[in-house]
Amino acid sequence: MNNQAPSKFALRFLAWFCPYYLYEGIEGDLLEQFDENLKTMGHKRARRRFLWHVLLFFRPSIILRNNFKLNIINTIMLGNYFKITARTIMKSKLYSFINAFGLSIGMAFCMLIYLYIQDERSFDQFHANKDSIYRMEVKRYNTWKMWSEDEDMFSSMAYLQTALGPTLKEELPEVIMATRYNHGGEGVVTYGDKVFTEDLTYVDADFFQMFSFDVLEGNRKTMLSGQLEAVITPEVAKRYFGDESPINKVIEIDREGKKSFTITGIIAPPPANSSLTYNILIRQENRPYYDRNNENWGNFGCPTFVMLEEGTDMANFDDNLAKIVDKYMADKIANWSLPEEMPEGLAPFTYLYSKLTDIHLNTEIGWRNNSDPQYSMILGAIAILILIIACINYVSLALVTSKSRRVEVGVRKSIGANRSQVIYQFTFESIILAFVSMLFGLGLMKLFLPAFNSFTSKAISLDLQSLSEITIVGILISILVGVIAGSYPSLVLSHFKPAEVLKGNYSSKVKSGFVKPLVVLQFAMSAFLIVSSVIMYKQMEYITTKDLGYDKEQVLVIPTQTGWNDNANTAIKQMRQALSYNPNIVAVAGTSSSFNRGFSLNGYEIDGVEKSAYVYAIDTEYIPTLDIELVEGRNFDENISTDTTAIIVNEALVEDMEWENPLEEYLNWTGDTIGLGFKVVGVVKDFHFRSLEHKIQPMLMSMNKEYTGYLINMLVRISPSDIPATIKEVESEWRALFPDKPFDYNFMDEDIDRQYESYSQWMSIMGLATGFAILISCLGLFGISGVNALNRTKEIGIRKVMGAELSNIFILLNKQYIWLAIVAFAVASPLSWYVMNIWLSDFEFTITIGWEIFALSMITGLVVAIATVSYHAIKSALLNPADTLKYE
Amino acid sequence: MGKEYLGEFEELVLTMVAVLGEDAYGNAIVQEVKERLDRKVNLSGVHVTLYRLEDKGLVKSHMGGATNTRGGRKKRLFTITNAGMALIRAVQEQRMSLWKLIPQLKLVGS
């Protein structure tokens, strides 16, 4: 029987796209054809044929007739739609607020992410020569095996030989300019009585002509042509010269010996979206050990940029680079112990290069401020998640409140509106709401921007251009959101049959069954965020409170500012002497590198096996000052002369060397061909000298100045009683001893916390997103439960008359939400478990994700959800049945 | 009529509307074309063409009375307008005048 009729779907589809005034004629013709076909062929074929013919009608010349007509009518009705929208918003203030609140926060997030992504993409785009500037890189075979097993056979880096830049410029015709760029060496700068520690940047004279940083004073072409010239930023100039002109003034810079520099230029500070930064620029030749490094093609420490002639054949450039390798590196590579067979197509040593504009988002090769494009994706995903949660609020609230719009739809339809017009009206309504939300969203974005900047360590500012871009993005998002969020409710609402609705017969129930999956989805998203942030929080708590094997509290770290020489060791001794009378000073020690202030990794060969260890120069006070536990042997002693060739090692090194009795062993880590090496006098318990992202690897400590260097960091342990006063006392002693050196200090625990800065930033972002997600979904749930309680007012009244207790009604109304929350958690838990495991894999030391975390998150979520829905449940349970039933 | 231009299919449909007189609607045209010219045309194509002709003012349409067949749907009936009639007549005359210009000998010789 049913087979004798064409498919309902096809007919509905036709009704959907076909202009109303053509519909009857077309449908009739199709039906007639179908009847004809039924006689000549089987019903299956006829039905298929029918569908095919409907599809054939789905063509522009039919569909476009729709729009033409819609436009005319809608411009007429637009005023009315607008009025009704405004009235609806005013009438149900709570629901409109819930919708607008969620949507505007979602949109503010989206706009912030847009700004973030724009900023990421704008890096280094401001250079006029950006298309012809390349950063040189090297990809080389790892001659000494690193510790972790999965380390690649090849490593790539942007640190090159010091001589490479000038050599390329001299020998390759296509390289028209080249500059080396070393940033970050600290030096003490003196002008008159002003003494500060400054970051120095070592470049070549071509720097200013290759890059488009604004030169404020001085001649771009001749700057740094003399070896003892310096170029500074206005900020630095202000620090030393105030309002005076710095040009031709002479400053002293102390970096491995004092030198005087004449300032010949002022250069604008680098924009926030620059991969290259600087404060004080001086010539490469002033870099410590320049001459030694310049002759040694085995020393890699110098980032290099080249500018190629326009239209350079890159294949030719590659060939020329290979020739440079042959010319300067061949004898070195010949000495490497290479594997029998190199992987196909890979040379042991190759020069590569990246475009300047690709540096920032390249995660393969480390650069000071590069970033992972993944971050943009994660941020974008969070924003979209929040936007979806807000959209679900809109959809579910529109569905559960659709009762109140029934009569309106009925009246509209009966005086001539067709279904598409009703759809259009409700879509229009949601777009208007989205627009209003967008305006609030713009305000919120402005409000959030400073916080967002600090979370992501960016310096995004709103100018007219980005503001107008953001507005356009906002408008696009609101149209999109309006259409997506509005489409389902408008389809449902437009479905009402006027006759039934107007008769007052409410038996045609709205299928609000769709609301439940939406709420589950919404809660699953929130649950995902809750679980993730709980895990992140637990991990961060673990990291910041984990026993690191030493006492990091109340220790000042003070750089000795003496340079890499014996003055550093003397400075520590002088300071210890001076502070020894102060009861508030517990101890003074020295080390070559304090925590999170660099490290030194030494490779050596023992019996043909290549090994490596971290090397620290320390003094006798170091181990007691930091309260590091000695498990065997003793600390260094000033009075034992052989202690200068002794070492103290950690347990990891003992294990690596497979020593039974470490105190009887010698470690030859300096490549000594005659002696046995350094005697082991002590073994310390493993402590985390690097961040918890790393395993504890072999390390050794020594007082030998020749091999391990100098104590350029002073550690001062102070008593916790009056910290500011004690710091003042330390400073005054410092000023008395070293009047020409700046007094910079940090607390050691702050240094250590800084290692995890990016993680705690992400945790704040996640926390914020979770907070908003919970807030928005709870608001939505609050609305839905309110409507549901209202719909069941009479039922509750009858139940109460029949003797139901308050608690029965409470349970009755809340039961379904608890189920929804449990289902949502069941969906979200595996997902967040998976994602968080990926996040945790960055750390070597992690919490275990146990069931209690999920249980905790779930209970939190449940409590919040129940608290939200309880308001309405209690309110309606307390109503007097006489009031609710008397109108029946 | 200089500017008016009809495609081949448009001309066919327009002619068919004229041929069918009072009873010209989409399906009837499809049937008629099939019977008289043994040519299969798509219903959707015919409809689109009819609406285009209506836009050009060559045919006009009205809804017919209710029917018992075709699910009770009314037919959209098309009738040719004076302009439409004039146009196919002009096309016809142009054809004939061109036809006369073909050298008849060519049919005999090779």
Side-chain angles (χ1 to χ4, degrees), chain A residues 21-22 24-29 32-33 53 56-57 59 61 65, chain B residues 25-27 42-45 47-48 51-52 55 70 73-74 76:
Chain A
Y21 71 111
L22 294 178
E24 189 165 3
I26 290 175
E27 191 194 21
D29 275 8
E32 191 179 325
Q33 199 183 39
H53 277 285
L56 281 180
F57 269 97
R59 52 162 81 192
S61 30
R65 276 165 206 274
Chain B
Y25 65 97
N27 224 7
N42 264 327
L43 184 61
S44 55
H47 269 266
V48 170
Y51 303 143
R52 197 155 55 225
D55 291 345
R70 49 189 271 149
R73 303 287 185 272
K74 291 175 194 164
R76 179 170 289 270

Side-chain angles (χ1 to χ4, degrees), chain A residues 517-563:
Chain A
L518 282 179
V519 173
V520 168
L521 180 66
Q522 193 180 32
F523 256 69
M525 286 175 182
S526 309
F528 170 76
L529 287 172
I530 293 175
V531 174
S532 305
S533 18
V534 168
I535 291 174
M536 277 179 145
Y537 177 77
K538 287 260 171 201
Q539 172 68 11
M540 291 310 290
E541 191 188 31
Y542 172 78
I543 273 184
T544 41
T545 56
K546 184 176 163 49
D547 181 14
L548 298 173
Y550 56 89
D551 186 0
K552 62 179 181 178
E553 309 295 331
Q554 287 114 29
V555 179
L556 296 179
V557 181
I558 310 166
T560 55
Q561 317 276 15
T562 50

Side-chain angles (χ1 to χ4, degrees), chain A residues 3 69-70 93 184 377 482 659 700 772 804:
Chain A
N3 287 336
K69 188 198 110 213
L70 269 181
K93 288 196 184 67
M377 275 157 62
W659 284 335
L700 59 90
F772 279 121

Side-chain angles (χ1 to χ4, degrees), chain A residues 512-813:
Chain A
S512 62
F514 190 61
V515 173
K516 274 184 187 167
L518 282 179
V519 173
V520 168
L521 180 66
Q522 193 180 32
F523 256 69
M525 286 175 182
S526 309
F528 170 76
L529 287 172
I530 293 175
V531 174
S532 305
S533 18
V534 168
I535 291 174
M536 277 179 145
Y537 177 77
K538 287 260 171 201
Q539 172 68 11
M540 291 310 290
E541 191 188 31
Y542 172 78
I543 273 184
T544 41
T545 56
K546 184 176 163 49
D547 181 14
L548 298 173
Y550 56 89
D551 186 0
K552 62 179 181 178
E553 309 295 331
Q554 287 114 29
V555 179
L556 296 179
V557 181
I558 310 166
T560 55
Q561 317 276 15
T562 50
W564 190 245
N565 53 46
D566 203 27
N567 293 343
N569 294 30
T570 317
I572 304 265
K573 276 191 195 127
Q574 284 175 312
M575 219 30 202
R576 185 181 301 146
Q577 186 66 28
L579 291 173
S580 61
Y581 306 108
N582 191 327
N584 286 327
I585 305 297
V586 181
V588 177
T591 177
S592 54
S593 38
S594 175
F595 303 94
N596 196 22
R597 295 202 172 196
F599 56 88
S600 144
L601 183 63
N602 254 54
Y604 50 88
E605 200 178 300
I606 304 284
D607 301 332
V609 183
E610 286 183 356
K611 294 182 178 294
S612 63
Y614 289 86
V615 175
Y616 287 86
I618 62 166
D619 60 8
T620 52
E621 300 299 309
Y622 184 79
I623 290 176
T625 303
L626 291 180
D627 206 10
I628 296 167
E629 190 184 334
L630 270 167
V631 285
E632 272 184 88
R634 58 173 177 82
N635 188 10
F636 292 127
D637 193 330
E638 285 279 278
N639 303 320
I640 301 173
S641 63
T642 54
D643 266 9
T644 53
T645 55
I647 51 172
I648 294 175
V649 300
N650 67 354
E651 290 172 320
L653 191 131
V654 173
E655 196 177 318
D656 182 50
M657 295 300 296
E658 295 166 8
W659 284 335
E660 294 276 322
N661 289 312
L663 295 183
E664 289 160 18
E665 301 285 351
Y666 289 82
L667 184 67
N668 188 356
W669 61 280
T670 53
D672 188 347
T673 46
I674 311 156
L676 283 168
F678 283 55
K679 177 155 179 49
V680 178
V681 296
V683 178
V684 292
K685 202 168 160 38
D686 280 340
F687 64 98
H688 290 273
F689 53 92
R690 296 201 64 196
S691 80
L692 293 172
E693 293 158 283
H694 306 274
K695 277 189 210 133
I696 297 182
Q697 287 165 1
M699 69 95 79
L700 59 90
M701 295 175 280
S702 165
M703 298 209 296
N704 188 296
K705 289 173 196 164
E706 191 188 341
Y707 287 107
T708 49
Y710 305 98
L711 310 171
I712 56 166
N713 285 293
M714 185 185 299
L715 309 178
V716 180
R717 175 173 292 284
I718 56 178
S719 71
S721 54
D722 187 359
I723 292 171
T726 314
I727 293 173
K728 277 259 152 49
E729 285 160 24
V730 175
E731 184 172 1
S732 66
E733 287 295 343
W734 177 278
R735 292 250 179 268
L737 281 171
F738 318 108
D740 59 336
K741 301 265 189 324
F743 177 72
D744 292 337
Y745 72 91
N746 272 89
F747 283 98
M748 183 181 274
D749 50 352
E750 286 170 6
D751 273 354
I752 290 165
D753 286 347
R754 212 162 293 133
Q755 293 172 329
Y756 312 113
E757 216 169 24
S758 65
Y759 295 106
S760 46
Q761 279 173 358
W762 279 104
M763 197 179 72
S764 326
I765 292 178
M766 277 303 270
L768 200 69
T770 311
F772 279 121
I774 295 174
L775 187 63
I776 297 172
S777 7
C778 280
L779 278 175
L781 195 61
F782 183 75
I784 295 171
S785 65
V787 177
N788 277 351
L790 206 65
N791 286 348
R792 296 173 81 170
T793 313
K794 271 177 199 151
E795 180 196 333
I796 293 166
I798 293 168
R799 279 176 191 274
K800 280 188 88 168
V801 170
M802 302 304 247
E805 297 282 323
L806 185 75
S807 57
N808 296 77
I809 289 168
F810 185 75
I811 291 167
L812 173 83
L813 285 175

